[in-house]
């Protein structure tokens, strides 16, 4: 029998069944995959990438780079070769660049294009067109790029880059790895040093990978004197010659989160998730789940292409509600929806603090999670930047039809809850799942989960 695809007629339903068992290799990390393609495009010569995520988001980045004159070849599943054109060597695109659902592609490409003296038009789907771009437009304009954007802040936008970009020193007003990365990528094209200060650490794949390709990057304490001593200044020296460097993309901790939470919630389950990226700027969900009482065992910790990885064994567990501190948000920003599903099944109350950024993701995730949980019979209170979830201490009722709102993580989260609820849960459209987790339903099926097109 062929496995059901995420895209099958849009609608998908998840039902309670037996324990989840076996091993599932989560798809390649989405953030690292985008960066691997982009930095390989700027190196001089050929870079080989393995384990690349072949979801729609990353395919959009690959297609964009081709439109900009880069040779990008797919040899085998996950195995790609990129012939880089050197820093500043991209060519004017022959068409409008369509980026689908991907905020990372959009914001990081703005950084790359800022250093090229030609114009490009970037657009995306309805979700991406509703997301704020002012956060990259402001610093890149200060460096010398010009923008014309819908309403000043939205896509479609036209960026006109500048061959004489100015270096900058910029303090991030929001904790955003996408903004940090856009500035560092622009800084690659400017003479001298460009630096970004981040008051709270965000995922650091760009700085790690820039070093991997031979760029000069310094990371130091920004002397902000905050309690956690967390403020960092990242400085890049511009106009280097980047050398090709092989990259083996680790499994995505944000994608692994879905089978991991499913195994915690479905009685009697035990699964293994090999090769997950354990970069500390990404593991806030797993820290939080452990605090809630989750049986998580990390084994065989090792390094892969400048990133730490390990295998994870997850056993079904009784969870207890917790308060998730706002400082942890950047290290688990994409995982709040699935954590909310765990919280819905936990004993007691879980509170997310300082999560206003969730309103600016592929959907307004605070609103989508609150509405979806309420429809499943879970008591929730939505604040302007917080969410309180009253756990059912067992199985929530479920039995709802959820609008996924073009948001892959909302879609997968409610499917996970459907595996642990009294009654099945449906999502109206699973096609967005292709952005980050191709054939999610099929992969979950190999563990014994019942997710598929509705009968
Ligand atoms: C990403 C950073 C995060 C995250 C997104 C991927 C990245 O966004 O939500 O899925 O690859 O840099 P922000 O940096 O805007 O918080």
């Amino acid at each position: 029998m062929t496995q059901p695809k995420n895209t099958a007629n849009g609608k998908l339903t998840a039902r309670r069944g037996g324990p989840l068992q076996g091993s599932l290799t989560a798809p390649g990390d989405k953030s690292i995959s985008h960066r691997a393609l982009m930095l390989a495009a700027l190196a001089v010569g050929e870079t080989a990438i393995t384990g690349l995520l072949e979801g729609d988001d990353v395919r959009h980045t690959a297609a964009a780079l081709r439109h900009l004159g880069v040779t990008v070849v797919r040899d085998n599943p996950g195995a790609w070769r990129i012939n880089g054109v050197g820093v500043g060597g991209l060519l004017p695109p022959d068409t409008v660049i369509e980026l689908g659902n991907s905020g990372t592609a959009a914001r990081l490409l703005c950084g790359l294009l800022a250093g090229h003296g030609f114009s490009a038009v970037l657009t995306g789907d309805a979700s991406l067109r509703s997301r704020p771009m002012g956060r990259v437009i402001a610093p890149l304009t200060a460096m010398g790029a010009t923008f014309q954007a819908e309403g000043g802040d939205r896509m479609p936008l036209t960026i006109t880059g500048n061959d004489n970009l100015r270096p900058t020193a910029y303090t991030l007003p929001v904790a955003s790895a996408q903004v940090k990365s856009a500035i560092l990528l622009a800084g690659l094209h400017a003479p001298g040093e460009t630096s970004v200060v981040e008051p709270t650490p965000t995922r650091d794949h760009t700085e790690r990978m820039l070093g991997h390709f031979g760029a000069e990057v310094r990371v130091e304490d920004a002397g902000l004197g905050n309690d956690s001593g967390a403020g960092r200044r990242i400085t890049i020296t511009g106009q280097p010659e980047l050398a090709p460097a092989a990259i083996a993309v680790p499994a995505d901790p944000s994608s692994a989160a879905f089978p991991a939470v499913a195994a915690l919630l479905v009685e009697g389950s035990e699964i293994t998730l090999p090769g997950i990226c354990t970069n500390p700027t990404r593991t806030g969900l797993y820290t939080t789940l452990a605090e809630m009482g989750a049986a998580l065992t990390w084994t065989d910790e090792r390094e892969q292409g400048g990133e730490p990885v390990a295998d994870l064994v997850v056993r079904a567990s009784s969870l207890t509600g917790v308060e998730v501190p706002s400082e942890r948000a950047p290290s688990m920003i994409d995982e709040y929806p699935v954590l909310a599903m765990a919280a819905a099944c936990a004993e007691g109350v879980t509170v997310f603090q300082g999560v206003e950024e969730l309103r600016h993701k592929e959907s307004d995730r605070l609103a989508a999670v609150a509405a979806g949980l309420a429809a499943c019979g879970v008591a929730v209170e939505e604040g302007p930047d917080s969410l309180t979830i009253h756990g059912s201490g067992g199985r929530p009722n479920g039995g709802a039809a959820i609008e996924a709102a073009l948001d892959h993580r909302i879609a997968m989260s409610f499917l996970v809850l459907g595996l642990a609820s009294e009654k099945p849960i449906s999502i109206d459209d699973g096609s967005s799942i292709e952005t980050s987790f191709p054939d999610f339903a099929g992969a979950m099926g190999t563990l014994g989960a019942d997710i598929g097109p509705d009968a």
Side-chain angles (χ1 to χ4, degrees):
M1 200 185 87
T2 52
Q3 296 288 358
K5 292 274 188 269
N6 299 330
T7 42
N9 286 332
K11 186 173 174 186
L12 288 172
T13 300
R15 297 184 166 72
R16 194 151 60 79
L20 305 185
Q21 276 157 350
S23 174
L24 188 165
T25 301
D29 188 83
K30 182 155 71 70
S31 295
I32 295 175
S33 295
H34 284 295
R35 288 158 171 81
L37 289 174
M38 290 187 198
L39 288 186
L42 299 185
V44 178
E46 187 174 281
T47 288
I49 305 175
T50 53
L52 191 83
L53 169 64
E54 296 186 342
D56 286 347
D57 275 14
V58 176
R59 286 182 182 276
H60 277 108
T61 288
L65 292 170
R66 287 192 183 113
H67 288 309
L68 294 164
V70 182
T71 305
V72 181
V73 179
R74 177 180 187 265
D75 288 325
N76 280 305
W80 294 56
R81 269 179 303 124
I82 291 87
N83 232 295
V85 294
V87 171
L90 298 176
L91 298 176
D94 47 9
T95 182
V96 168
I97 296 180
E98 164 63 54
L99 298 170
N101 196 250
S102 180
T104 306
R107 300 201 176 103
L108 270 58
L109 271 180
C110 282
L112 283 192
L113 291 169
H116 292 80
F118 56 74
S119 296
V121 181
L122 310 184
T123 192
D125 69 9
S127 156
L128 185 54
R129 280 186 273 112
S130 74
R131 298 179 64 186
M133 296 300 290
R135 52 182 63 191
V136 289
I137 291 176
L140 296 177
T141 300
M143 294 178 79
T146 48
F147 289 84
Q148 275 177 295
E150 192 69 28
D153 184 30
R154 296 287 192 268
M155 294 171 80
L157 63 77
T158 304
I159 173 171
T160 304
N162 188 334
D163 287 329
N164 298 304
L165 213 58
R166 294 183 289 276
T168 192
Y170 190 74
T171 299
L172 294 181
V174 279
S176 167
Q178 293 180 355
V179 178
K180 170 178 66 176
S181 301
I183 298 166
L184 293 175
L185 292 175
L188 267 184
H189 297 80
E193 293 191 337
T194 288
S195 62
V196 182
V197 170
E198 51 178 12
T200 316
T202 66
R203 65 192 68 193
D204 61 359
H205 308 302
T206 303
E207 11 329 14
R208 284 177 188 248
M209 205 183 289
L210 278 166
H212 189 61
F213 278 90
E216 210 180 301
V217 191
R218 273 196 329 273
V219 180
E220 42 200 7
D221 184 344
L224 300 180
N226 54 20
D227 290 346
S228 57
R232 299 197 285 198
R233 175 182 291 102
I234 302 103
T235 304
I236 173 103
T237 303
Q239 302 181 334
E241 179 165 312
L242 300 181
I247 294 185
V249 180
D252 194 324
S254 302
S255 296
F258 299 101
V261 170
L264 288 172
L265 300 184
V266 177
E267 217 177 305
S269 299
E270 176 170 338
I271 65 164
T272 303
L273 298 161
I276 299 177
C277 179
T278 54
N279 181 318
T281 62
R282 296 289 300 282
T283 47
L285 169 77
Y286 298 96
T287 306
T288 307
L289 288 172
E291 287 173 1
M292 294 172 80
L296 305 176
T297 311
W298 295 95
T299 59
D300 195 12
E301 293 174 21
R302 53 206 188 267
E303 206 184 280
Q304 190 175 307
E307 293 280 352
V309 300
D311 303 337
L312 175 61
V313 177
V314 185
R315 288 181 197 84
S317 306
S318 299
L319 303 177
T320 311
V322 287
E323 179 148 339
V324 187
S326 53
E327 316 82 78
R328 199 177 289 162
S331 69
M332 54 180 291
I333 193 67
D334 293 332
E335 283 67 79
Y336 282 100
V338 75
L339 179 61
M341 306 303 134
C345 301
E347 187 76 53
V349 178
T350 293
V351 184
F352 302 162
Q353 297 285 9
V355 288
E356 201 273 339
E357 262 301 287
L358 294 186
R359 298 197 183 279
H360 308 292
K361 296 297 176 187
E362 286 82 331
S363 69
D364 177 342
R365 287 182 175 160
L366 264 188
V369 166
L373 285 181
C376 293
V378 179
V380 276
E381 288 133 37
E382 179 189 348
D385 71 346
S386 67
L387 194 69
T388 302
I389 299 163
H390 299 266
S392 57
R395 277 185 209 127
N397 190 45
I402 306 291
E403 275 182 40
L406 291 179
D407 189 330
H408 54 138
R409 301 204 198 276
I410 294 299
M412 288 186 276
S413 295
F414 281 98
L415 290 173
V416 165
L417 189 63
L419 300 175
S421 308
E422 210 52 63
K423 299 184 197 139
I425 295 177
S426 298
I427 53 161
D428 61 340
D429 182 7
S431 54
S432 64
I433 299 173
E434 288 294 323
T435 61
S436 65
F437 203 142
D439 197 18
F440 172 70
M444 293 296 290
T446 66
L447 300 176
D450 182 355
I451 301 177
D454 222 357

